[in-house]
Amino acid sequence: MTDSPDRPAAHKFVLRPGAPSLPGVRLDARWRVPVYMGRRLPKALAPYAASVFSWEWMIQDVLNGRMPPPVVARERPPLREYQHEPVKLIQNAHASQAPGFLLAYPTGSGKTAMCICATHDLPDVRRVLVVTKLDVVPAWRRAISYFGSGGKRWVVINPEQLWRLFFHPLRPLNSLPVDKAAEFAAQGGILHFPFDVVIVDESHMLASPASLRSRTVQRLLLPEHGTNRRPWFLRASASPFSNPGETAYLDDLLAHAAGVDAPGALSRAGYQEWLSSLGFTLNTDHTRRWFHDLNGDDVNKLNHLLFSRGVGTTATAEELGLPSMTRELRPVELSPDDQVQYESAWSEFRAQYGLEAVDDVLDSTSEALRRVQKASLLKAPKVAQIVAGLVEEGYQVVVPAWYLDSVSAIARLTAAALKARGLPDRVVEITGADRHLRERKRQLFQAGHALVAVTNSLEGVNFHAGERGGAGNGRDATQSPRACVIADVLTGGRRILQAEGRTHRDGQRSQTVYVFAENTLEEEWLARVLRAAAGTQALVQSPRDAQDLMDLAAQLTGAVDGRPGQ
């Protein structure tokens, strides 16, 4: 008996991991994914359906004989005026056989749209892989649907899931624990399907070449089996590096621009020697740190190699007509009792605050971190009052923090401060501990149902005003002005720029307030972090922003002679 025209044919539905073992669900022997065979997906399995542009979605089409995907003709949504030039530069780099490209445009400039549209007209490109942070995966999939796939097969995946794209000649990866499978994939994995273009969003996450994600991404870039054909590597980041030593993941671009061979895997010292051979001076201060104000020649050298030789592009917010960042330092004076608490032993401090005991064996860096956390917790009541005051002025406020203890304390105290002022005490906590609720909580904030979001998610989550579809169910985010109150001193210049960018993006202005405890190690640490952030901005040719950050750092104790290690 054949299927009637009005009845759909049997279909293999690939399900996401964690799908229940209901009748009709089996584990595919080759791909090791749960599959349901039927005409329609049962209602109980609908939440586990493969997401569009996911790895499961691609395997579903493989099992159903739908490779490559059908080309769907559609009119492309318009780009902003300034986005056309970088799209053209990306395409020119591909045509010139450069190994890749760095798109170092500022937060909120629409790098996702530029990357997608740049691939549409690339010749001989069938498959495109996007590697991005877990929280940004849905946004990339929505953007591809909006701007169009260009008739190409797209897979969007987070770095921790990359191992699933590989098989190993000696190890059955799908039957190993995830950490073991990921390590074997990075060491000797072979791709199930080659990709023609690999896009790494937030590419600064590859700054440590020894990390598992960096080694796995490098594995993606090996030549296709039996050929010399390599994927083309497109990186995008608003904060790609804070010093030249963090450019190892761009060594192919630097080598191409300099007309030399790429150095391959090197130790940190070996990579610095290679940079020296290219003409970098890499001067450091008395603490052995590279700062841009000591290295004008290095700034110019990096600009020449990356942004003047066809392998990268950058621009300032001012050049693009985007609002400039507004930053403010807000010191908090500890009371005499709090100052005593700050100087107390770590275990005693934790016990007084009712926190779990931790190992008291310290090195110099962990000692510095714990002193910074003391200041963070002690100033939490003042942070709550600052946040409540901004809400009273009409802002929706995002509070990036680092420590989970700080997130919890600030959220609780802020709710109380809002209630005391007669304001709705709607505060959401968004952390890595509640991944299944993170998007729902974010949408509550974007819809205006929560006025404050306290979070330790510093990348890949958007809180800006007017975000398209940001409130869920097709609704845009509120237009209420945003403020970003950075409650913890965050290590690393790139990290604080990413934290600022959660609200100051997509052309929406947001003010940033840095709250710090006076006369503590936190103040000295903040000075150094601001200087590191200035280095990031100087290296992506944003001298005005670099100077603004240096001016802030100069206002703090320990701007030059601070002690903490980074």
Side-chain angles (χ1 to χ4, degrees), residues 68-90:
V71 177
V72 179
R74 58 163 297 178
E75 184 177 351
R76 297 179 190 169
L79 290 172
R80 299 171 189 166
E81 185 62 33
Y82 66 77
Q83 292 176 326
H84 293 284
E85 181 63 20
V87 166
K88 183 178 178 181
L89 290 172
I90 292 169

Side-chain angles (χ1 to χ4, degrees), residues 108-127:
S109 58
K111 292 186 290 296
T112 299
M114 290 184 251
C115 289
I116 293 169
C117 293
T119 66
H120 283 165
D121 299 320
L122 296 182
D124 301 320
V125 172
R126 299 166 300 160
R127 300 188 186 103

Side-chain angles (χ1 to χ4, degrees), residues 109-347:
S109 58
K111 292 186 290 296
T112 299
M114 290 184 251
C115 289
I116 293 169
C117 293
T119 66
H120 283 165
D121 299 320
L122 296 182
D124 301 320
V125 172
R126 299 166 300 160
R127 300 188 186 103
V128 182
L129 176 69
V130 179
V131 182
T132 189
K133 297 294 184 68
L134 177 63
D135 297 317
V136 195
V137 166
W140 264 91
R141 291 171 179 161
R142 287 196 302 268
I144 296 166
S145 296
Y146 181 71
F147 287 100
S149 67
K152 296 168 173 54
R153 169 68 59 182
W154 289 77
V155 174
V156 184
I157 197 168
N158 67 296
E160 288 67 37
Q161 292 293 314
L162 280 174
W163 65 271
R164 301 178 65 203
L165 308 184
F166 294 89
F167 67 92
H168 194 281
L170 301 176
R171 301 279 183 170
L173 298 184
N174 284 297
S175 62
L176 295 175
V178 170
D179 57 339
K180 295 290 186 183
E183 187 61 46
F184 279 116
Q187 289 176 0
I190 300 172
L191 280 169
H192 286 291
F193 299 104
F195 289 91
D196 303 298
V197 173
V198 175
I199 301 172
V200 177
D201 184 30
E202 308 286 8
S203 61
H204 52 270
M205 66 181 170
L206 305 179
S208 173
S211 70
L212 181 60
R213 63 175 53 159
S214 294
R215 290 185 286 120
T216 309
V217 168
Q218 287 302 315
R219 194 82 193 168
L220 290 169
L221 303 178
L222 293 177
E224 185 178 338
H225 183 66
T227 74
N228 292 321
R229 180 182 173 91
R230 296 174 181 269
W232 199 70
F233 195 7
L234 175 56
R235 299 86 154 177
S237 174
S239 53
F241 32 65
S242 292
N243 65 73
E246 296 175 347
T247 62
Y249 73 98
L250 301 165
D251 62 356
D252 57 338
L253 302 187
L254 294 171
H256 178 83
V260 301
D261 292 333
L266 292 174
S267 65
R268 178 177 296 182
Y271 186 68
Q272 288 184 332
E273 288 181 12
W274 185 74
L275 289 175
S276 297
S277 74
L278 295 183
F280 287 86
T281 55
L282 305 176
N283 293 322
T284 58
D285 68 1
H286 69 283
T287 62
R288 295 187 174 182
R289 290 184 179 84
W290 184 98
F291 287 113
H292 81 279
D293 49 324
L294 306 176
N295 289 279
D297 290 343
D298 286 358
V299 173
N300 294 333
K301 185 74 175 178
L302 202 60
N303 174 51
H304 172 68
L305 291 175
L306 283 180
F307 304 127
S308 300
R309 303 299 297 273
V311 294
T313 186
T314 187
T316 66
E318 185 178 24
E319 290 169 341
L320 302 182
L322 300 174
S324 58
M325 179 65 68
T326 303
R327 300 182 179 94
E328 174 190 348
L329 294 176
R330 193 76 67 90
V332 168
E333 183 179 7
L334 298 182
S335 68
D337 288 344
D338 283 344
Q339 194 69 44
V340 170
Q341 281 296 310
Y342 177 74
E343 298 298 339
S344 71
W346 175 254
S347 56

Side-chain angles (χ1 to χ4, degrees), residues 415-476:
L418 291 169
K419 188 173 183 179
R421 295 174 184 236
L423 299 168
D425 57 343
R426 299 194 295 266
V427 179
V428 291
E429 298 179 39
I430 301 177
T431 72
D434 59 353
R435 287 195 176 275
H436 62 295
L437 293 175
R438 289 174 70 170
E439 179 60 13
R440 177 58 184 150
K441 289 181 177 181
R442 189 192 72 85
Q443 289 176 352
L444 287 173
F445 177 85
Q446 290 297 74
H449 299 308
L451 301 177
V452 178
V454 188
T455 179
N456 67 351
S457 299
L458 307 179
E459 295 178 334
V461 56
N462 295 338
F463 295 105
H464 62 272
E467 180 195 13
R468 188 178 67 241
N473 297 322
R475 298 170 299 163
D476 293 344

Side-chain angles (χ1 to χ4, degrees), residues 491-509:
T491 62
R494 298 190 314 275
R495 187 174 280 118
I496 67 167
L497 293 172
Q498 289 293 324
E500 290 179 344
R502 296 314 93 211
T503 53
H504 185 90
R505 60 190 301 113
D506 201 31
Q508 296 287 339
R509 180 184 295 274

